[in-house]
Amino acid sequence: LRSTSEYICKQDADCEDVQNMSLWVGLFPASSDRKAIGPQDWPTGSEPWLATSPIAWKPLTSQSGEASFKVEVAFAPALEFSLFSNGTTWSIELARSDALLVSDVHKPQHLRLARVHSADSMRASW
């Protein structure tokens, strides 16, 4: 028997196997709109179908118990984790973390290289 806190879904590819739970966790910019929008016909669209796409997300199973996220570059000065049920097609937000404040969001973190008009030159920027 499964715990009532675990929701089994049948409606999306991430939950086809009955062992996979429809719970998943995502990382979002703080205060972003996380309402479900359902499948869209956008050529580059993909699950999870929310008004704001997560920066990163991972499915949770009854065996996982925890999920690790590596965020190399902060995309926003404040981030939040959200726990969802009901799969990735029509997700239901169950819980939201307190905001994680990122103090160095505006500091240069990576070198960026770009081609220029001349074949023997490149532009480097931070």
PDB file of all heavy atoms in Angstrom, residues 58-77:
ATOM      1  N   LYS A  58      13.346  17.984 -10.646  1.00  0.00           N
ATOM      2  CA  LYS A  58      13.645  16.555 -10.534  1.00  0.00           C
ATOM      3  C   LYS A  58      12.416  15.819 -10.027  1.00  0.00           C
ATOM      4  O   LYS A  58      11.750  16.284  -9.108  1.00  0.00           O
ATOM      5  CB  LYS A  58      14.792  16.320  -9.549  1.00  0.00           C
ATOM      6  CG  LYS A  58      16.111  16.855 -10.037  1.00  0.00           C
ATOM      7  CD  LYS A  58      17.214  16.506  -9.082  1.00  0.00           C
ATOM      8  CE  LYS A  58      18.531  17.054  -9.619  1.00  0.00           C
ATOM      9  NZ  LYS A  58      19.663  16.664  -8.805  1.00  0.00           N
ATOM     10  N   PRO A  59      12.132  14.647 -10.621  1.00  0.00           N
ATOM     11  CA  PRO A  59      11.048  13.816 -10.090  1.00  0.00           C
ATOM     12  C   PRO A  59      11.479  13.175  -8.779  1.00  0.00           C
ATOM     13  O   PRO A  59      12.668  12.931  -8.560  1.00  0.00           O
ATOM     14  CB  PRO A  59      10.830  12.767 -11.176  1.00  0.00           C
ATOM     15  CG  PRO A  59      12.109  12.722 -11.936  1.00  0.00           C
ATOM     16  CD  PRO A  59      12.733  14.075 -11.817  1.00  0.00           C
ATOM     17  N   LEU A  60      10.533  12.924  -7.900  1.00  0.00           N
ATOM     18  CA  LEU A  60      10.804  12.254  -6.635  1.00  0.00           C
ATOM     19  C   LEU A  60      10.095  10.919  -6.623  1.00  0.00           C
ATOM     20  O   LEU A  60       8.965  10.806  -7.084  1.00  0.00           O
ATOM     21  CB  LEU A  60      10.314  13.101  -5.457  1.00  0.00           C
ATOM     22  CG  LEU A  60      10.948  14.481  -5.301  1.00  0.00           C
ATOM     23  CD1 LEU A  60      10.265  15.233  -4.171  1.00  0.00           C
ATOM     24  CD2 LEU A  60      12.436  14.361  -5.038  1.00  0.00           C
ATOM     25  N   THR A  61      10.751   9.911  -6.086  1.00  0.00           N
ATOM     26  CA  THR A  61      10.138   8.594  -5.935  1.00  0.00           C
ATOM     27  C   THR A  61      10.103   8.251  -4.462  1.00  0.00           C
ATOM     28  O   THR A  61      10.730   8.930  -3.638  1.00  0.00           O
ATOM     29  CB  THR A  61      10.931   7.506  -6.688  1.00  0.00           C
ATOM     30  OG1 THR A  61      12.208   7.373  -6.082  1.00  0.00           O
ATOM     31  CG2 THR A  61      11.079   7.841  -8.158  1.00  0.00           C
ATOM     32  N   SER A  62       9.401   7.198  -4.153  1.00  0.00           N
ATOM     33  CA  SER A  62       9.315   6.781  -2.750  1.00  0.00           C
ATOM     34  C   SER A  62      10.683   6.336  -2.232  1.00  0.00           C
ATOM     35  O   SER A  62      10.919   6.347  -1.037  1.00  0.00           O
ATOM     36  CB  SER A  62       8.290   5.672  -2.575  1.00  0.00           C
ATOM     37  OG  SER A  62       8.611   4.574  -3.396  1.00  0.00           O
ATOM     38  N   GLN A  63      11.606   5.978  -3.131  1.00  0.00           N
ATOM     39  CA  GLN A  63      12.937   5.578  -2.712  1.00  0.00           C
ATOM     40  C   GLN A  63      13.901   6.762  -2.584  1.00  0.00           C
ATOM     41  O   GLN A  63      14.893   6.672  -1.883  1.00  0.00           O
ATOM     42  CB  GLN A  63      13.559   4.578  -3.713  1.00  0.00           C
ATOM     43  CG  GLN A  63      12.895   3.228  -3.733  1.00  0.00           C
ATOM     44  CD  GLN A  63      11.689   3.190  -4.655  1.00  0.00           C
ATOM     45  OE1 GLN A  63      11.546   4.020  -5.541  1.00  0.00           O
ATOM     46  NE2 GLN A  63      10.795   2.249  -4.427  1.00  0.00           N
ATOM     47  N   SER A  64      13.653   7.867  -3.280  1.00  0.00           N
ATOM     48  CA  SER A  64      14.647   8.953  -3.332  1.00  0.00           C
ATOM     49  C   SER A  64      14.816   9.667  -1.989  1.00  0.00           C
ATOM     50  O   SER A  64      15.925   9.837  -1.530  1.00  0.00           O
ATOM     51  CB  SER A  64      14.307   9.949  -4.440  1.00  0.00           C
ATOM     52  OG  SER A  64      13.052  10.527  -4.221  1.00  0.00           O
ATOM     53  N   GLY A  65      13.749  10.125  -1.375  1.00  0.00           N
ATOM     54  CA  GLY A  65      13.836  10.769  -0.071  1.00  0.00           C
ATOM     55  C   GLY A  65      14.443  12.149  -0.083  1.00  0.00           C
ATOM     56  O   GLY A  65      14.158  12.963   0.766  1.00  0.00           O
ATOM     57  N   GLU A  66      15.326  12.444  -1.034  1.00  0.00           N
ATOM     58  CA  GLU A  66      15.942  13.762  -1.124  1.00  0.00           C
ATOM     59  C   GLU A  66      16.367  14.009  -2.564  1.00  0.00           C
ATOM     60  O   GLU A  66      16.473  13.088  -3.363  1.00  0.00           O
ATOM     61  CB  GLU A  66      17.155  13.870  -0.198  1.00  0.00           C
ATOM     62  CG  GLU A  66      18.290  12.947  -0.548  1.00  0.00           C
ATOM     63  CD  GLU A  66      19.455  13.065   0.421  1.00  0.00           C
ATOM     64  OE1 GLU A  66      19.240  12.997   1.640  1.00  0.00           O
ATOM     65  OE2 GLU A  66      20.574  13.232  -0.068  1.00  0.00           O
ATOM     66  N   ALA A  67      16.592  15.264  -2.884  1.00  0.00           N
ATOM     67  CA  ALA A  67      17.065  15.653  -4.212  1.00  0.00           C
ATOM     68  C   ALA A  67      18.119  16.727  -4.052  1.00  0.00           C
ATOM     69  O   ALA A  67      17.990  17.611  -3.198  1.00  0.00           O
ATOM     70  CB  ALA A  67      15.901  16.177  -5.051  1.00  0.00           C
ATOM     71  N   SER A  68      19.168  16.641  -4.843  1.00  0.00           N
ATOM     72  CA  SER A  68      20.244  17.640  -4.812  1.00  0.00           C
ATOM     73  C   SER A  68      20.168  18.497  -6.063  1.00  0.00           C
ATOM     74  O   SER A  68      19.918  17.988  -7.161  1.00  0.00           O
ATOM     75  CB  SER A  68      21.603  16.945  -4.758  1.00  0.00           C
ATOM     76  OG  SER A  68      21.730  16.172  -3.608  1.00  0.00           O
ATOM     77  N   PHE A  69      20.401  19.767  -5.897  1.00  0.00           N
ATOM     78  CA  PHE A  69      20.422  20.703  -7.014  1.00  0.00           C
ATOM     79  C   PHE A  69      21.748  21.442  -7.004  1.00  0.00           C
ATOM     80  O   PHE A  69      22.202  21.894  -5.951  1.00  0.00           O
ATOM     81  CB  PHE A  69      19.291  21.737  -6.898  1.00  0.00           C
ATOM     82  CG  PHE A  69      17.942  21.188  -7.235  1.00  0.00           C
ATOM     83  CD1 PHE A  69      17.205  20.500  -6.295  1.00  0.00           C
ATOM     84  CD2 PHE A  69      17.413  21.358  -8.503  1.00  0.00           C
ATOM     85  CE1 PHE A  69      15.966  19.998  -6.591  1.00  0.00           C
ATOM     86  CE2 PHE A  69      16.163  20.856  -8.817  1.00  0.00           C
ATOM     87  CZ  PHE A  69      15.436  20.174  -7.864  1.00  0.00           C
ATOM     88  N   LYS A  70      22.364  21.557  -8.159  1.00  0.00           N
ATOM     89  CA  LYS A  70      23.585  22.345  -8.295  1.00  0.00           C
ATOM     90  C   LYS A  70      23.235  23.539  -9.165  1.00  0.00           C
ATOM     91  O   LYS A  70      22.880  23.391 -10.335  1.00  0.00           O
ATOM     92  CB  LYS A  70      24.691  21.528  -8.941  1.00  0.00           C
ATOM     93  CG  LYS A  70      25.985  22.291  -9.071  1.00  0.00           C
ATOM     94  CD  LYS A  70      27.081  21.429  -9.643  1.00  0.00           C
ATOM     95  CE  LYS A  70      28.361  22.214  -9.723  1.00  0.00           C
ATOM     96  NZ  LYS A  70      29.443  21.423 -10.316  1.00  0.00           N
ATOM     97  N   VAL A  71      23.323  24.715  -8.592  1.00  0.00           N
ATOM     98  CA  VAL A  71      23.016  25.940  -9.324  1.00  0.00           C
ATOM     99  C   VAL A  71      24.305  26.735  -9.426  1.00  0.00           C
ATOM    100  O   VAL A  71      24.767  27.324  -8.456  1.00  0.00           O
ATOM    101  CB  VAL A  71      21.924  26.772  -8.602  1.00  0.00           C
ATOM    102  CG1 VAL A  71      21.613  28.030  -9.389  1.00  0.00           C
ATOM    103  CG2 VAL A  71      20.679  25.930  -8.406  1.00  0.00           C
ATOM    104  N   GLU A  72      24.923  26.700 -10.623  1.00  0.00           N
ATOM    105  CA  GLU A  72      26.206  27.379 -10.804  1.00  0.00           C
ATOM    106  C   GLU A  72      26.035  28.875 -10.977  1.00  0.00           C
ATOM    107  O   GLU A  72      26.858  29.644 -10.532  1.00  0.00           O
ATOM    108  CB  GLU A  72      26.941  26.793 -11.999  1.00  0.00           C
ATOM    109  CG  GLU A  72      27.420  25.384 -11.740  1.00  0.00           C
ATOM    110  CD  GLU A  72      28.329  24.892 -12.834  1.00  0.00           C
ATOM    111  OE1 GLU A  72      28.927  25.726 -13.535  1.00  0.00           O
ATOM    112  OE2 GLU A  72      28.437  23.677 -12.992  1.00  0.00           O
ATOM    113  N   VAL A  73      24.999  29.284 -11.643  1.00  0.00           N
ATOM    114  CA  VAL A  73      24.754  30.701 -11.877  1.00  0.00           C
ATOM    115  C   VAL A  73      23.361  31.020 -11.365  1.00  0.00           C
ATOM    116  O   VAL A  73      22.400  30.363 -11.728  1.00  0.00           O
ATOM    117  CB  VAL A  73      24.833  31.039 -13.388  1.00  0.00           C
ATOM    118  CG1 VAL A  73      24.507  32.488 -13.629  1.00  0.00           C
ATOM    119  CG2 VAL A  73      26.200  30.707 -13.933  1.00  0.00           C
ATOM    120  N   ALA A  74      23.287  32.003 -10.520  1.00  0.00           N
ATOM    121  CA  ALA A  74      21.972  32.413 -10.017  1.00  0.00           C
ATOM    122  C   ALA A  74      21.268  33.210 -11.113  1.00  0.00           C
ATOM    123  O   ALA A  74      21.822  34.144 -11.662  1.00  0.00           O
ATOM    124  CB  ALA A  74      22.129  33.251  -8.761  1.00  0.00           C
ATOM    125  N   PHE A  75      20.054  32.798 -11.432  1.00  0.00           N
ATOM    126  CA  PHE A  75      19.285  33.460 -12.472  1.00  0.00           C
ATOM    127  C   PHE A  75      18.443  34.607 -11.918  1.00  0.00           C
ATOM    128  O   PHE A  75      17.878  35.372 -12.664  1.00  0.00           O
ATOM    129  CB  PHE A  75      18.356  32.454 -13.154  1.00  0.00           C
ATOM    130  CG  PHE A  75      19.103  31.406 -13.916  1.00  0.00           C
ATOM    131  CD1 PHE A  75      19.494  30.227 -13.316  1.00  0.00           C
ATOM    132  CD2 PHE A  75      19.438  31.617 -15.232  1.00  0.00           C
ATOM    133  CE1 PHE A  75      20.176  29.263 -14.017  1.00  0.00           C
ATOM    134  CE2 PHE A  75      20.127  30.661 -15.955  1.00  0.00           C
ATOM    135  CZ  PHE A  75      20.498  29.483 -15.345  1.00  0.00           C
ATOM    136  N   ALA A  76      18.358  34.687 -10.624  1.00  0.00           N
ATOM    137  CA  ALA A  76      17.527  35.704  -9.987  1.00  0.00           C
ATOM    138  C   ALA A  76      18.105  35.986  -8.601  1.00  0.00           C
ATOM    139  O   ALA A  76      18.775  35.132  -8.024  1.00  0.00           O
ATOM    140  CB  ALA A  76      16.094  35.200  -9.870  1.00  0.00           C
ATOM    141  N   PRO A  77      17.858  37.172  -8.047  1.00  0.00           N
ATOM    142  CA  PRO A  77      18.387  37.489  -6.714  1.00  0.00           C
ATOM    143  C   PRO A  77      17.734  36.689  -5.590  1.00  0.00           C
ATOM    144  O   PRO A  77      18.257  36.626  -4.495  1.00  0.00           O
ATOM    145  CB  PRO A  77      18.123  38.979  -6.555  1.00  0.00           C
ATOM    146  CG  PRO A  77      17.063  39.304  -7.547  1.00  0.00           C
ATOM    147  CD  PRO A  77      17.183  38.315  -8.658  1.00  0.00           C
TER     148      PRO A  77
END
